[in-house]
Amino acid sequence: MIFILQIEIDEDKCIACGNCYDICPKAAKIWKIGKVAKILDLRYCHVCTLCAMECPVDCIKIIREPPKY
Ligand code: SF4
Ligand code: SF4
C-alpha cells in the first residue's frame, strides 16, 4: 500500500538551526534552510523520522496517511 506522506513544519517555531538538514540522509534533495526550514521534494524521503527527532523545538510533524479509496 502506498501511503501519502507529508512533512509539516511549524514556521512560527522553527529557529533555522539546520539540524534537520544535517541529520537527513538525503538533505540536499529534501531540505532548504533559509529563515525557516522548507521542504523541496519529498520524493526522496524514506521516512526515517530522524529530522523530527533532531528538531530542538519539536516543530516537524511527519504525517503518513493511508490512501482514501
Ligand atoms: S524523515 Fe528522514 S529522509 Fe525524510 S526528511 Fe526526515 S530525515 Fe530526511
Ligand atoms: S531542526 Fe527544527 S528548528 Fe531546526 S531548522 Fe529544522 S525544522 Fe527548524
Side-chain angles (χ1 to χ4, degrees):
M1 185 187 284
I2 297 168
F3 282 74
I4 297 164
L5 171 66
Q6 277 182 289
I7 295 186
E8 283 181 3
I9 299 150
D10 185 338
E11 294 189 356
D12 293 334
K13 283 167 81 180
C14 176
I15 55 171
C17 67
N19 281 9
C20 49
Y21 189 98
D22 291 341
I23 198 79
C24 178
K26 301 279 187 207
K29 291 188 164 106
I30 298 175
W31 290 96
K32 185 173 189 337
I33 311 295
K35 287 188 179 152
V36 293
K38 300 262 186 202
I39 296 282
L40 297 173
D41 192 342
L42 273 182
R43 281 179 301 172
Y44 300 96
C45 174
H46 49 87
V47 202
C48 63
T49 73
L50 289 171
C51 53
M53 285 191 276
E54 285 297 311
C55 179
V57 294
D58 203 20
C59 71
I60 301 173
K61 196 164 145 194
I62 297 175
I63 303 158
R64 274 167 289 184
E65 286 181 6
K68 296 176 182 80
Y69 294 114

